[in-house]
């Protein structure tokens, strides 16, 4: 039987809360937003002790990471073996996610149980390695924002001055009306 936890005077099952972690790991932006609107804690952990932010970082889902950070997810949370989300993103060479975590204040010197830092998970001179080494020297990365709606050229947008065609009687057409009656049947008597 699932344990019930109180969140904003609403009882939510552990399964519903775990769905946030699962949806984050799959990059399902809509589900993540819906669950966060239900006031599920963005720092919730699944049965394995993994946070939603860690799952999103492992998948390289930058937009989900952004949503979770805006909802208050802990950028320096640790999972098994003291691994942080920055460790996970650096290991996967997820550049956008690494940038978002660095800008959110992730600890660049966080060490795992074995003493490995996030930069140690990257290949030397890879894009993630460059971002982490520059951030260590005080040069913060910049995010390239992608417009959700593409720009539409002016010539592709009508100016609303198109005129409706007139019929033979001089009246404007109101709209296409379908055939009345049974389709394909001719009116009148049948020939034998």
């Amino acid at each position: 039987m699932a344990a019930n936890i109180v969140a904003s005077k609403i009882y939510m099952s552990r399964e519903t809360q775990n769905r946030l972690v699962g949806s984050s790991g799959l990059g399902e932006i809509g589900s993540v937003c819906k669950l966060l609107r239900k006031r599920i804690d963005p720092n919730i952990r699944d049965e394995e002790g993994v946070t939603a932010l860690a799952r999103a970082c492992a998948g390289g889902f930058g937009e989900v990471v952004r949503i979770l950070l805006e909802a208050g997810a802990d950028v320096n949370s640790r999972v098994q073996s003291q691994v942080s989300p920055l460790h996970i993103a650096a290991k996967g060479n997820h550049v956008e996610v690494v940038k978002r975590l660095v800008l959110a204040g992730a600890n660049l010197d966080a060490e795992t149980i074995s003493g490995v830092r996030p930069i140690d998970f990257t290949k030397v001179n890879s894009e993630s390695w460059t971002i982490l080494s520059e951030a260590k020297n005080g040069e913060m990365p910049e995010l390239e924002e992608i417009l959700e709606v593409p720009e539409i050229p002016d010539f592709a947008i009508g100016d609303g001055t198109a005129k409706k065609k007139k019929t033979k009687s001089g009246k404007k057409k109101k709209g296409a009306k379908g055939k009345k009656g049974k389709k394909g049947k001719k009116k009148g008597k049948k020939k034998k």
Side-chain angles (χ1 to χ4, degrees):
M1 188 175 216
N4 290 331
I5 298 174
V6 178
S8 301
K9 298 181 182 179
I10 299 173
Y11 290 97
M12 291 189 211
S13 69
R14 186 75 179 157
E15 181 182 324
T16 303
Q17 293 175 352
N18 286 341
R19 203 173 313 150
L20 177 64
V21 179
S23 296
S24 297
L26 296 172
E28 296 174 351
I29 296 171
S31 296
V32 170
C33 290
K34 183 178 179 181
L35 291 165
L36 289 172
R37 278 195 303 268
K38 289 184 176 185
R39 302 201 190 283
I40 293 181
D41 181 12
N43 294 308
I44 195 77
R45 294 174 183 267
D46 63 7
E47 292 86 13
E48 299 169 4
V50 181
T51 63
L53 184 60
R55 293 269 190 223
C57 290
F61 303 114
E63 194 61 22
V64 175
V65 169
R66 180 190 64 79
I67 292 166
L68 289 168
L69 289 172
E70 286 177 359
D74 181 11
V75 73
N76 290 311
S77 62
R78 301 294 185 100
V79 293
Q80 300 107 348
S81 302
Q82 293 297 306
V83 175
S84 72
L86 187 57
H87 284 98
I88 297 168
K91 182 177 182 183
N93 197 28
H94 301 301
V95 177
E96 180 190 356
V97 176
V98 170
K99 286 181 181 180
R100 288 194 184 281
L101 294 172
V102 168
L103 290 172
N107 184 359
L108 301 173
D109 293 322
E111 292 185 357
T112 62
I113 288 179
S114 56
V116 180
R117 295 174 302 151
I119 199 166
D120 299 332
F121 277 115
T122 62
K123 292 180 182 177
V124 176
N125 293 328
S126 68
E127 198 169 350
S128 293
W129 183 86
T130 305
I131 292 166
L132 291 172
S133 63
E134 288 176 353
K136 184 79 172 155
N137 294 326
E139 297 177 43
M140 298 307 274
E142 292 182 14
L143 287 172
E144 296 89 33
E145 291 295 324
I146 300 171
L147 296 175
E148 290 184 26
V149 179
E151 287 190 36
I152 301 172
D154 291 334
F155 64 84
I157 301 173
D159 59 1
T161 59
K163 295 180 182 178
K164 291 185 178 180
K165 294 183 180 179
K166 293 184 179 181
T167 61
K168 290 180 185 178
S169 65
K171 295 182 181 179
K172 291 182 181 179
K173 278 188 174 180
K174 291 186 179 181
K177 291 186 179 181
K179 293 181 180 179
K180 292 187 179 180
K182 295 184 180 182
K183 294 182 180 180
K185 300 270 185 172
K186 292 184 180 180
K187 293 182 181 177
K189 296 182 182 179
K190 292 183 181 179
K191 293 183 181 179
K192 289 185 183 180

